[in-house]
Amino acid sequence: MVCDHVSQAVLTLPVSSTPVYKEECTQCFDDHNMAAGIDVCLSCFNGGCPGTPNNHAHQHAMKSGHHLTVNIRRVRKESDERPAKLTKLEIVEEPENDQYEFETFVRCWGCSGARLDNVPEDVQRVVHAVLHAVEASKGSEIKAWAEEVTACSHFDGLTQAPAADFSSEALHQCSMCDKRDNLWMCLSCGHVGCGRKQYDGSGGNNHAIAHFEQTGHRVSVKLGTITPEGTADAYCYA
C-alpha cells in the first residue's frame, strides 16, 4: 500500500557524522537479530523495537510525528561447510555480509504500522543510505579512539631540571610514603610519587598528584613501563 504520510514526510539523507541507530533499540536491549527486527526512523534515524511489550518504535513515531521507518532484521546464513581445523589462535575480520542476510521493508506507523509497497525513489534512497551507514555506537568508538591519541603540548614544552643521581631505593618507593607499586616519576624534577587512591581504598595515596598541585610540574611517567624503544605510559595532570 501507499499512504499519504509518504508524501508528507520530511526526509534527508544521513551523512558520515549522522548517528544512525540501526542495530539496537535506543530504549531497551532489543536488537536486529530478534524476530521483530529493529525499526529505524527515516527522519531522525532513531532505532526502536517494533514488537511487544514495549514497541518503542511506535512510541517514537507518535511522540515525534515521524511515521516512516525501515525495519531491519539480521539473519545468519546457513552453511553446510565444516569449520576449518583449528591450527592456531587468531582474530580474523570476517565481512558481515559473508555471515548474515538482511531482511528489510518500509512501514508507516501513521497507518498502524502497515507495511508499504511501491516505495517512492526518494524514500528508497534514504533506506539505502541507512543500510550502508556506520552504526552509531561503532562511530562513537572510532571517534573516541581518535581523540585518545591527540598530542599534548605540555610534552613538547617540557622543561627539565639538571640530571640528578637516584639511588635504586628512591626509584622503587614513593618519596612520601611506603608504597612500592604504581609509582610515577615527574619528568620535570625526578620526584617519585604513588598513583591515585581507588574508591575501595586500594591503589596509591595520590602523592604524584599532590606533587603536581604543589609544584605545577604537569608531566609524569609510570615507572616500569619505559622500554628500550623509547615508549612508556606518560600522563599530563593538566
Side-chain angles (χ1 to χ4, degrees):
M1 65 171 290
V2 176
C3 68
D4 295 335
H5 300 105
V6 172
S7 59
Q8 298 170 2
V10 179
L11 306 179
T12 57
L13 294 173
V15 297
S16 59
S17 60
T18 305
V20 178
Y21 299 90
K22 63 177 185 177
E23 293 186 2
E24 190 173 81
C25 176
T26 58
Q27 302 297 314
C28 68
F29 295 105
D30 288 2
D31 61 28
H32 62 344
N33 296 310
M34 303 179 75
I38 287 294
D39 269 27
V40 182
C41 174
L42 293 180
S43 295
C44 68
F45 314 112
N46 176 76
C49 57
T52 56
N54 297 317
N55 204 341
H56 290 124
H58 179 257
Q59 293 182 31
H60 173 76
M62 295 302 100
K63 182 181 295 185
S64 64
H66 301 163
H67 296 121
L68 299 184
T69 65
V70 56
N71 180 271
I72 303 174
R73 179 173 176 249
R74 189 174 74 165
V75 181
R76 181 177 287 276
K77 293 181 179 179
E78 295 184 2
S79 176
D80 296 330
E81 295 183 7
R82 298 181 62 182
K85 182 179 179 181
L86 183 64
T87 58
K88 60 181 178 180
L89 296 177
E90 61 180 339
I91 298 175
V92 179
E93 182 179 2
E94 297 184 26
E96 192 175 43
N97 290 337
D98 291 348
Q99 304 177 64
Y100 299 95
E101 295 177 333
F102 292 87
E103 300 174 354
T104 64
F105 65 88
V106 175
R107 81 161 102 226
C108 176
W109 286 105
C111 298
S112 302
R115 181 169 179 161
L116 303 184
D117 300 318
N118 302 318
V119 178
E121 287 188 9
D122 58 335
V123 178
Q124 292 182 26
R125 285 194 294 269
V126 178
V127 170
H128 182 269
V130 167
L131 296 177
H132 290 82
V134 176
E135 157 65 21
S137 61
K138 295 177 180 177
S140 298
E141 291 171 2
I142 296 170
K143 181 179 179 181
W145 173 254
E147 291 174 348
E148 288 177 7
V149 297
T150 54
C152 172
S153 61
H154 297 121
F155 283 86
D156 296 332
L158 179 64
T159 301
Q160 294 181 299
D165 294 330
F166 293 98
S167 67
S168 176
E169 185 63 24
L171 293 175
H172 287 80
Q173 181 174 323
C174 175
S175 61
M176 302 175 68
C177 69
D178 60 357
K179 290 288 185 180
R180 302 180 68 88
D181 55 5
N182 191 19
L183 300 178
W184 294 79
M185 184 173 70
C186 173
L187 289 180
S188 294
C189 67
H191 174 274
V192 177
C194 56
R196 302 174 188 270
K197 179 176 290 186
Q198 305 300 321
Y199 288 107
D200 61 359
S202 63
N205 292 316
N206 293 333
H207 287 139
I209 299 176
H211 174 73
F212 157 67
E213 293 173 343
Q214 294 168 4
T215 64
H217 297 169
R218 304 177 179 92
V219 181
S220 292
V221 62
K222 187 175 183 179
L223 295 179
T225 68
I226 304 173
T227 69
E229 293 76 26
T231 62
D233 291 344
Y235 188 80
C236 177
Y237 290 107

Short mmCIF file of all heavy atoms in Angstrom, two decimals, residues 131-192:
data_model
loop_
_atom_site.label_atom_id
_atom_site.label_comp_id
_atom_site.label_asym_id
_atom_site.label_seq_id
_atom_site.Cartn_x
_atom_site.Cartn_y
_atom_site.Cartn_z
N LEU A 131 21.05 1.67 5.41
CA LEU A 131 21.62 0.33 5.39
C LEU A 131 23.14 0.35 5.26
O LEU A 131 23.83 -0.55 5.75
CB LEU A 131 21.01 -0.49 4.26
CG LEU A 131 19.51 -0.78 4.36
CD1 LEU A 131 19.03 -1.54 3.14
CD2 LEU A 131 19.20 -1.56 5.63
N HIS A 132 23.69 1.38 4.62
CA HIS A 132 25.13 1.46 4.41
C HIS A 132 25.82 2.42 5.38
O HIS A 132 27.04 2.62 5.28
CB HIS A 132 25.43 1.89 2.96
CG HIS A 132 25.10 0.82 1.96
ND1 HIS A 132 23.81 0.62 1.49
CD2 HIS A 132 25.87 -0.12 1.34
CE1 HIS A 132 23.81 -0.40 0.63
NE2 HIS A 132 25.05 -0.85 0.52
N ALA A 133 25.07 2.99 6.30
CA ALA A 133 25.66 3.90 7.28
C ALA A 133 26.37 3.12 8.38
O ALA A 133 26.06 1.96 8.64
CB ALA A 133 24.57 4.80 7.89
N VAL A 134 27.33 3.76 9.04
CA VAL A 134 28.01 3.16 10.19
C VAL A 134 27.08 3.23 11.40
O VAL A 134 26.50 4.29 11.69
CB VAL A 134 29.33 3.90 10.49
CG1 VAL A 134 29.99 3.33 11.74
CG2 VAL A 134 30.27 3.79 9.30
N GLU A 135 26.91 2.11 12.08
CA GLU A 135 26.10 2.08 13.30
C GLU A 135 26.62 3.12 14.29
O GLU A 135 27.83 3.30 14.45
CB GLU A 135 26.14 0.68 13.91
CG GLU A 135 25.84 0.59 15.38
CD GLU A 135 24.41 0.98 15.75
OE1 GLU A 135 23.53 0.95 14.88
OE2 GLU A 135 24.18 1.33 16.92
N ALA A 136 25.69 3.85 14.94
CA ALA A 136 26.06 4.98 15.80
C ALA A 136 27.07 4.59 16.88
O ALA A 136 28.03 5.32 17.14
CB ALA A 136 24.81 5.56 16.45
N SER A 137 26.90 3.44 17.52
CA SER A 137 27.80 3.03 18.59
C SER A 137 29.21 2.79 18.06
O SER A 137 30.20 3.09 18.72
CB SER A 137 27.28 1.77 19.29
OG SER A 137 27.18 0.69 18.36
N LYS A 138 29.33 2.25 16.85
CA LYS A 138 30.64 1.99 16.27
C LYS A 138 31.31 3.29 15.87
O LYS A 138 32.52 3.45 15.99
CB LYS A 138 30.51 1.06 15.06
CG LYS A 138 30.00 -0.33 15.43
CD LYS A 138 29.82 -1.21 14.20
CE LYS A 138 29.31 -2.59 14.60
NZ LYS A 138 29.04 -3.45 13.44
N GLY A 139 30.51 4.23 15.38
CA GLY A 139 31.07 5.53 15.04
C GLY A 139 31.62 6.24 16.26
O GLY A 139 32.67 6.88 16.21
N SER A 140 30.96 6.09 17.43
CA SER A 140 31.43 6.69 18.67
C SER A 140 32.73 6.06 19.11
O SER A 140 33.63 6.72 19.63
CB SER A 140 30.37 6.53 19.77
OG SER A 140 29.19 7.20 19.42
N GLU A 141 32.86 4.74 18.93
CA GLU A 141 34.10 4.06 19.32
C GLU A 141 35.27 4.58 18.51
O GLU A 141 36.34 4.84 19.03
CB GLU A 141 33.95 2.56 19.10
CG GLU A 141 32.97 1.90 20.07
CD GLU A 141 32.68 0.47 19.69
OE1 GLU A 141 33.28 -0.02 18.71
OE2 GLU A 141 31.85 -0.16 20.36
N ILE A 142 35.07 4.76 17.19
CA ILE A 142 36.13 5.24 16.32
C ILE A 142 36.52 6.66 16.72
O ILE A 142 37.70 7.00 16.81
CB ILE A 142 35.68 5.20 14.85
CG1 ILE A 142 35.44 3.75 14.42
CG2 ILE A 142 36.71 5.87 13.95
CD1 ILE A 142 34.78 3.62 13.07
N LYS A 143 35.54 7.51 17.02
CA LYS A 143 35.82 8.88 17.40
C LYS A 143 36.58 8.94 18.71
O LYS A 143 37.53 9.70 18.88
CB LYS A 143 34.51 9.67 17.52
CG LYS A 143 34.70 11.13 17.88
CD LYS A 143 33.37 11.83 17.96
CE LYS A 143 33.55 13.30 18.35
NZ LYS A 143 32.27 14.01 18.46
N ALA A 144 36.17 8.12 19.70
CA ALA A 144 36.84 8.12 21.00
C ALA A 144 38.29 7.71 20.85
O ALA A 144 39.18 8.26 21.48
CB ALA A 144 36.11 7.19 21.97
N TRP A 145 38.56 6.71 20.00
CA TRP A 145 39.93 6.26 19.82
C TRP A 145 40.78 7.37 19.20
O TRP A 145 41.92 7.60 19.59
CB TRP A 145 39.95 5.01 18.94
CG TRP A 145 41.34 4.58 18.57
CD1 TRP A 145 41.95 4.71 17.37
CD2 TRP A 145 42.30 3.96 19.43
NE1 TRP A 145 43.22 4.20 17.41
CE2 TRP A 145 43.46 3.75 18.66
CE3 TRP A 145 42.28 3.57 20.76
CZ2 TRP A 145 44.60 3.15 19.20
CZ3 TRP A 145 43.42 2.98 21.29
CH2 TRP A 145 44.56 2.78 20.51
N ALA A 146 40.22 8.08 18.24
CA ALA A 146 40.97 9.15 17.59
C ALA A 146 41.31 10.26 18.57
O ALA A 146 42.37 10.85 18.52
CB ALA A 146 40.17 9.72 16.41
N GLU A 147 40.42 10.53 19.51
CA GLU A 147 40.66 11.58 20.49
C GLU A 147 41.74 11.17 21.49
O GLU A 147 42.47 12.00 22.00
CB GLU A 147 39.36 11.90 21.23
CG GLU A 147 38.33 12.60 20.36
CD GLU A 147 37.01 12.79 21.07
OE1 GLU A 147 36.81 12.19 22.14
OE2 GLU A 147 36.18 13.54 20.52
N GLU A 148 41.86 9.90 21.76
CA GLU A 148 42.82 9.43 22.75
C GLU A 148 44.27 9.63 22.32
O GLU A 148 45.16 9.73 23.15
CB GLU A 148 42.58 7.94 23.05
CG GLU A 148 41.32 7.69 23.87
CD GLU A 148 41.07 6.22 24.09
OE1 GLU A 148 41.97 5.42 23.73
OE2 GLU A 148 40.03 5.87 24.63
N VAL A 149 44.53 9.69 21.03
CA VAL A 149 45.91 9.75 20.56
C VAL A 149 46.34 11.17 20.18
O VAL A 149 47.39 11.35 19.58
CB VAL A 149 46.13 8.80 19.36
CG1 VAL A 149 45.89 7.38 19.75
CG2 VAL A 149 45.23 9.20 18.19
N THR A 150 45.56 12.19 20.53
CA THR A 150 45.95 13.56 20.24
C THR A 150 47.14 13.94 21.12
O THR A 150 47.24 13.53 22.28
CB THR A 150 44.79 14.53 20.49
OG1 THR A 150 44.29 14.35 21.81
CG2 THR A 150 43.67 14.30 19.49
N ALA A 151 48.05 14.74 20.57
CA ALA A 151 49.27 15.13 21.28
C ALA A 151 48.98 16.18 22.34
O ALA A 151 48.05 16.97 22.22
CB ALA A 151 50.30 15.64 20.29
N CYS A 152 49.79 16.19 23.40
CA CYS A 152 49.67 17.18 24.47
C CYS A 152 50.82 18.18 24.33
O CYS A 152 52.00 17.78 24.27
CB CYS A 152 49.71 16.49 25.83
SG CYS A 152 49.80 17.63 27.22
N SER A 153 50.51 19.45 24.31
CA SER A 153 51.54 20.48 24.12
C SER A 153 52.50 20.56 25.29
O SER A 153 53.63 21.05 25.15
CB SER A 153 50.87 21.84 23.89
OG SER A 153 50.08 22.20 25.02
N HIS A 154 52.08 20.10 26.48
CA HIS A 154 52.95 20.18 27.65
C HIS A 154 54.15 19.25 27.54
O HIS A 154 55.18 19.48 28.20
CB HIS A 154 52.16 19.88 28.92
CG HIS A 154 51.07 20.87 29.19
ND1 HIS A 154 49.74 20.51 29.29
CD2 HIS A 154 51.10 22.22 29.32
CE1 HIS A 154 49.02 21.58 29.51
NE2 HIS A 154 49.81 22.63 29.52
N PHE A 155 54.04 18.20 26.72
CA PHE A 155 55.20 17.33 26.50
C PHE A 155 56.22 18.04 25.62
O PHE A 155 57.43 17.95 25.86
CB PHE A 155 54.76 16.01 25.84
CG PHE A 155 54.12 15.04 26.79
CD1 PHE A 155 52.76 15.11 27.08
CD2 PHE A 155 54.87 14.06 27.42
CE1 PHE A 155 52.17 14.23 27.95
CE2 PHE A 155 54.29 13.17 28.30
CZ PHE A 155 52.93 13.25 28.57
N ASP A 156 55.74 18.75 24.59
CA ASP A 156 56.66 19.45 23.69
C ASP A 156 57.40 20.58 24.40
O ASP A 156 58.57 20.84 24.12
CB ASP A 156 55.90 20.01 22.48
CG ASP A 156 55.29 18.90 21.62
OD1 ASP A 156 55.85 17.80 21.61
OD2 ASP A 156 54.25 19.16 20.98
N GLY A 157 56.73 21.25 25.31
CA GLY A 157 57.34 22.38 26.01
C GLY A 157 57.90 22.02 27.37
O GLY A 157 58.06 22.90 28.23
N LEU A 158 58.21 20.75 27.58
CA LEU A 158 58.68 20.29 28.89
C LEU A 158 60.06 20.88 29.23
O LEU A 158 60.99 20.82 28.43
CB LEU A 158 58.76 18.77 28.90
CG LEU A 158 59.25 18.10 30.18
CD1 LEU A 158 58.29 18.36 31.33
CD2 LEU A 158 59.42 16.59 29.97
N THR A 159 60.18 21.44 30.45
CA THR A 159 61.45 21.94 30.96
C THR A 159 61.92 21.02 32.07
O THR A 159 61.18 20.79 33.04
CB THR A 159 61.31 23.38 31.50
OG1 THR A 159 60.84 24.22 30.45
CG2 THR A 159 62.64 23.89 32.02
N GLN A 160 63.14 20.48 31.95
CA GLN A 160 63.65 19.52 32.92
C GLN A 160 64.79 20.12 33.73
O GLN A 160 65.63 20.87 33.21
CB GLN A 160 64.14 18.24 32.21
CG GLN A 160 63.00 17.45 31.56
CD GLN A 160 63.50 16.20 30.89
OE1 GLN A 160 64.32 16.25 29.98
NE2 GLN A 160 63.01 15.05 31.34
N ALA A 161 64.83 19.75 35.01
CA ALA A 161 65.91 20.17 35.88
C ALA A 161 67.17 19.38 35.52
O ALA A 161 67.08 18.33 34.88
CB ALA A 161 65.53 19.92 37.34
N PRO A 162 68.36 19.87 35.90
CA PRO A 162 69.59 19.12 35.63
C PRO A 162 69.52 17.71 36.17
O PRO A 162 68.86 17.45 37.19
CB PRO A 162 70.67 19.95 36.35
CG PRO A 162 70.09 21.33 36.42
CD PRO A 162 68.62 21.15 36.59
N ALA A 163 70.17 16.78 35.49
CA ALA A 163 70.14 15.38 35.89
C ALA A 163 70.66 15.21 37.30
O ALA A 163 71.64 15.84 37.72
CB ALA A 163 70.98 14.56 34.92
N ALA A 164 70.00 14.35 38.08
CA ALA A 164 70.39 14.09 39.46
C ALA A 164 70.65 12.60 39.63
O ALA A 164 70.16 11.78 38.86
CB ALA A 164 69.31 14.55 40.42
N ASP A 165 71.45 12.27 40.63
CA ASP A 165 71.72 10.87 40.92
C ASP A 165 70.59 10.29 41.75
O ASP A 165 70.20 10.87 42.78
CB ASP A 165 73.05 10.72 41.68
CG ASP A 165 74.24 11.13 40.82
OD1 ASP A 165 74.15 10.96 39.60
OD2 ASP A 165 75.23 11.63 41.39
N PHE A 166 70.04 9.15 41.30
CA PHE A 166 68.96 8.49 42.01
C PHE A 166 69.46 7.16 42.54
O PHE A 166 70.07 6.38 41.80
CB PHE A 166 67.76 8.26 41.10
CG PHE A 166 67.08 9.53 40.65
CD1 PHE A 166 67.37 10.07 39.41
CD2 PHE A 166 66.16 10.17 41.46
CE1 PHE A 166 66.76 11.23 38.99
CE2 PHE A 166 65.54 11.33 41.04
CZ PHE A 166 65.84 11.86 39.80
N SER A 167 69.20 6.90 43.79
CA SER A 167 69.51 5.58 44.32
C SER A 167 68.46 4.59 43.86
O SER A 167 67.34 4.97 43.49
CB SER A 167 69.54 5.62 45.85
OG SER A 167 68.24 5.87 46.36
N SER A 168 68.82 3.31 43.86
CA SER A 168 67.87 2.28 43.45
C SER A 168 66.64 2.30 44.34
O SER A 168 65.52 2.11 43.87
CB SER A 168 68.56 0.91 43.52
OG SER A 168 67.63 -0.13 43.22
N GLU A 169 66.83 2.56 45.62
CA GLU A 169 65.69 2.58 46.55
C GLU A 169 64.76 3.74 46.24
O GLU A 169 63.54 3.62 46.34
CB GLU A 169 66.21 2.71 47.98
CG GLU A 169 65.13 2.62 49.05
CD GLU A 169 64.42 1.27 49.07
OE1 GLU A 169 65.01 0.27 48.60
OE2 GLU A 169 63.27 1.21 49.54
N ALA A 170 65.31 4.87 45.81
CA ALA A 170 64.48 6.04 45.52
C ALA A 170 63.54 5.78 44.35
O ALA A 170 62.45 6.36 44.28
CB ALA A 170 65.36 7.24 45.23
N LEU A 171 63.97 4.92 43.41
CA LEU A 171 63.15 4.64 42.25
C LEU A 171 62.17 3.48 42.48
O LEU A 171 61.39 3.16 41.60
CB LEU A 171 64.03 4.30 41.05
CG LEU A 171 64.89 5.45 40.51
CD1 LEU A 171 65.81 4.96 39.42
CD2 LEU A 171 64.02 6.59 40.02
N HIS A 172 62.21 2.87 43.64
CA HIS A 172 61.35 1.73 43.93
C HIS A 172 60.38 1.99 45.07
O HIS A 172 59.69 1.08 45.52
CB HIS A 172 62.20 0.49 44.27
CG HIS A 172 62.89 -0.11 43.08
ND1 HIS A 172 64.05 0.40 42.56
CD2 HIS A 172 62.55 -1.15 42.28
CE1 HIS A 172 64.43 -0.30 41.51
NE2 HIS A 172 63.53 -1.24 41.31
N GLN A 173 60.29 3.23 45.52
CA GLN A 173 59.37 3.55 46.61
C GLN A 173 58.94 5.00 46.49
O GLN A 173 59.72 5.87 46.11
CB GLN A 173 60.04 3.30 47.97
CG GLN A 173 59.11 3.59 49.16
CD GLN A 173 59.75 3.21 50.48
OE1 GLN A 173 60.45 2.20 50.57
NE2 GLN A 173 59.49 3.99 51.52
N CYS A 174 57.68 5.27 46.81
CA CYS A 174 57.18 6.64 46.83
C CYS A 174 58.00 7.46 47.82
O CYS A 174 58.32 7.01 48.92
CB CYS A 174 55.70 6.64 47.24
SG CYS A 174 54.99 8.30 47.43
N SER A 175 58.35 8.68 47.43
CA SER A 175 59.17 9.54 48.29
C SER A 175 58.40 10.10 49.48
O SER A 175 58.99 10.71 50.36
CB SER A 175 59.75 10.69 47.47
OG SER A 175 58.71 11.48 46.93
N MET A 176 57.07 9.87 49.50
CA MET A 176 56.26 10.45 50.58
C MET A 176 55.54 9.40 51.42
O MET A 176 54.86 9.73 52.39
CB MET A 176 55.23 11.43 49.98
CG MET A 176 55.87 12.55 49.18
SD MET A 176 54.68 13.64 48.35
CE MET A 176 53.93 14.45 49.77
N CYS A 177 55.63 8.11 51.03
CA CYS A 177 55.04 7.04 51.82
C CYS A 177 55.77 5.73 51.48
O CYS A 177 56.80 5.75 50.80
CB CYS A 177 53.53 6.91 51.59
SG CYS A 177 53.09 6.32 49.93
N ASP A 178 55.25 4.62 51.96
CA ASP A 178 55.95 3.35 51.77
C ASP A 178 55.42 2.54 50.57
O ASP A 178 55.75 1.37 50.42
CB ASP A 178 55.87 2.50 53.04
CG ASP A 178 54.42 2.19 53.44
OD1 ASP A 178 53.50 2.69 52.76
OD2 ASP A 178 54.22 1.45 54.43
N LYS A 179 54.62 3.15 49.72
CA LYS A 179 54.09 2.44 48.55
C LYS A 179 55.23 2.10 47.58
O LYS A 179 56.09 2.94 47.30
CB LYS A 179 53.04 3.29 47.83
CG LYS A 179 51.74 3.47 48.59
CD LYS A 179 50.93 2.18 48.61
CE LYS A 179 49.58 2.38 49.27
NZ LYS A 179 48.79 1.14 49.31
N ARG A 180 55.20 0.85 47.06
CA ARG A 180 56.27 0.41 46.17
C ARG A 180 55.75 -0.03 44.79
O ARG A 180 56.50 -0.61 44.01
CB ARG A 180 57.06 -0.74 46.83
CG ARG A 180 57.67 -0.36 48.18
CD ARG A 180 58.44 -1.54 48.79
NE ARG A 180 59.64 -1.85 48.01
CZ ARG A 180 60.83 -1.28 48.21
NH1 ARG A 180 60.98 -0.36 49.16
NH2 ARG A 180 61.88 -1.64 47.49
N ASP A 181 54.47 0.21 44.52
CA ASP A 181 53.94 -0.11 43.20
C ASP A 181 53.11 1.07 42.70
O ASP A 181 52.78 1.97 43.45
CB ASP A 181 53.08 -1.39 43.23
CG ASP A 181 51.97 -1.34 44.25
OD1 ASP A 181 51.78 -0.28 44.88
OD2 ASP A 181 51.27 -2.35 44.43
N ASN A 182 52.80 1.05 41.39
CA ASN A 182 52.08 2.15 40.75
C ASN A 182 52.77 3.49 41.04
O ASN A 182 52.16 4.43 41.53
CB ASN A 182 50.61 2.18 41.20
CG ASN A 182 49.77 3.12 40.35
OD1 ASN A 182 50.14 3.50 39.24
ND2 ASN A 182 48.63 3.54 40.89
N LEU A 183 54.05 3.54 40.73
CA LEU A 183 54.85 4.73 41.00
C LEU A 183 55.01 5.57 39.74
O LEU A 183 55.20 5.05 38.64
CB LEU A 183 56.23 4.33 41.53
CG LEU A 183 56.24 3.52 42.83
CD1 LEU A 183 57.67 3.16 43.21
CD2 LEU A 183 55.56 4.27 43.96
N TRP A 184 54.97 6.89 39.91
CA TRP A 184 55.08 7.83 38.80
C TRP A 184 56.21 8.81 39.07
O TRP A 184 56.31 9.38 40.16
CB TRP A 184 53.77 8.60 38.63
CG TRP A 184 52.64 7.72 38.20
CD1 TRP A 184 51.90 6.89 38.98
CD2 TRP A 184 52.15 7.58 36.87
NE1 TRP A 184 50.97 6.22 38.22
CE2 TRP A 184 51.09 6.63 36.92
CE3 TRP A 184 52.49 8.15 35.65
CZ2 TRP A 184 50.39 6.25 35.79
CZ3 TRP A 184 51.79 7.77 34.52
CH2 TRP A 184 50.75 6.84 34.59
N MET A 185 57.08 8.99 38.08
CA MET A 185 58.22 9.90 38.22
C MET A 185 57.96 11.18 37.44
O MET A 185 57.63 11.15 36.25
CB MET A 185 59.50 9.24 37.72
CG MET A 185 60.74 10.12 37.94
SD MET A 185 62.29 9.28 37.55
CE MET A 185 62.16 9.16 35.76
N CYS A 186 58.11 12.28 38.11
CA CYS A 186 57.95 13.60 37.49
C CYS A 186 59.06 13.80 36.47
O CYS A 186 60.24 13.64 36.77
CB CYS A 186 57.99 14.68 38.57
SG CYS A 186 58.00 16.36 37.90
N LEU A 187 58.70 14.17 35.24
CA LEU A 187 59.70 14.37 34.19
C LEU A 187 60.30 15.77 34.23
O LEU A 187 61.17 16.09 33.41
CB LEU A 187 59.07 14.12 32.82
CG LEU A 187 58.73 12.65 32.52
CD1 LEU A 187 58.11 12.51 31.14
CD2 LEU A 187 59.97 11.77 32.63
N SER A 188 59.88 16.58 35.19
CA SER A 188 60.49 17.90 35.34
C SER A 188 61.61 17.88 36.37
O SER A 188 62.67 18.48 36.16
CB SER A 188 59.44 18.94 35.76
OG SER A 188 58.50 19.15 34.73
N CYS A 189 61.39 17.17 37.49
CA CYS A 189 62.40 17.20 38.56
C CYS A 189 62.81 15.82 39.06
O CYS A 189 63.75 15.72 39.86
CB CYS A 189 61.88 18.03 39.74
SG CYS A 189 60.47 17.27 40.61
N GLY A 190 62.14 14.75 38.63
CA GLY A 190 62.52 13.41 39.06
C GLY A 190 61.84 12.92 40.32
O GLY A 190 62.14 11.81 40.79
N HIS A 191 60.91 13.70 40.87
CA HIS A 191 60.19 13.26 42.07
C HIS A 191 59.41 11.98 41.79
O HIS A 191 58.80 11.82 40.73
CB HIS A 191 59.22 14.35 42.51
CG HIS A 191 58.32 13.97 43.65
ND1 HIS A 191 57.13 13.31 43.47
CD2 HIS A 191 58.46 14.15 44.99
CE1 HIS A 191 56.56 13.11 44.64
NE2 HIS A 191 57.34 13.61 45.58
N VAL A 192 59.45 11.02 42.72
CA VAL A 192 58.72 9.77 42.58
C VAL A 192 57.56 9.75 43.56
O VAL A 192 57.75 9.90 44.78
CB VAL A 192 59.64 8.55 42.84
CG1 VAL A 192 58.83 7.25 42.76
CG2 VAL A 192 60.77 8.52 41.83
#
